[in-house]
Amino acid sequence: MIQMFRILGKRGRITIPFEIRQRVGFSYNDVLSFTEAPDGRTVIVKREKICDNCAAEKPQRKEAEDTITLFDFLNSLSDEQQKAAFAHLKLKWDRVQGSGLYGRS
């Protein structure tokens, strides 16, 4: 079991750590339920299905142990390499934006 600590913000917000979201399979726009356990100190978080006629659940994507996220890859680069990567991506993005894709002309 992984144990990580986060601080509850003044508005009652907290971020579920990426490693846990990835392992459990939580993703953007999932509906989560929160249930107080009988001990009064534990909260159970579950991903919920909100309709009976939804398409079959998407399969859990298992990442190979030798894969790396883009974020981790970029963080592993030196400052100069990060600057070069950013410049390259910025040029590509500018070309896409200038080509009229995504509703722009």
Side-chain angles (χ1 to χ4, degrees):
M1 179 165 89
I2 297 175
Q3 183 178 26
M4 296 181 179
F5 297 92
R6 294 293 186 264
I7 297 173
L8 185 64
K10 63 183 170 183
R11 292 186 179 180
R13 296 179 183 168
I14 195 162
T15 300
I16 300 170
F18 174 76
E19 296 85 0
I20 293 175
R21 291 192 322 260
Q22 188 176 34
R23 213 172 251 138
V24 173
F26 290 168
S27 61
Y28 179 73
N29 277 341
D30 279 348
V31 175
L32 306 178
S33 68
F34 300 84
T35 307
E36 182 180 354
D39 67 8
R41 296 179 41 89
T42 305
V43 176
I44 300 166
V45 180
K46 292 182 183 178
R47 181 180 47 237
E48 299 290 343
K49 180 178 168 185
I50 57 172
C51 67
D52 292 331
N53 298 325
C54 294
E57 263 190 60
K58 54 187 172 186
Q60 295 288 333
R61 195 178 90 172
K62 293 286 183 185
E63 304 256 347
E65 290 182 21
D66 58 347
T67 60
I68 184 170
T69 65
L70 177 60
F71 183 76
D72 290 337
F73 170 73
L74 290 172
N75 280 336
S76 72
L77 299 175
S78 69
D79 288 344
E80 287 301 313
Q81 291 170 323
Q82 287 179 3
K83 287 177 188 175
F86 175 75
H88 176 74
L89 291 172
K90 176 75 171 105
L91 285 173
K92 289 187 80 73
W93 178 253
D94 288 344
R95 285 189 199 125
V96 168
Q97 293 298 306
S99 68
L101 296 175
Y102 305 111
R104 292 190 173 173
S105 340

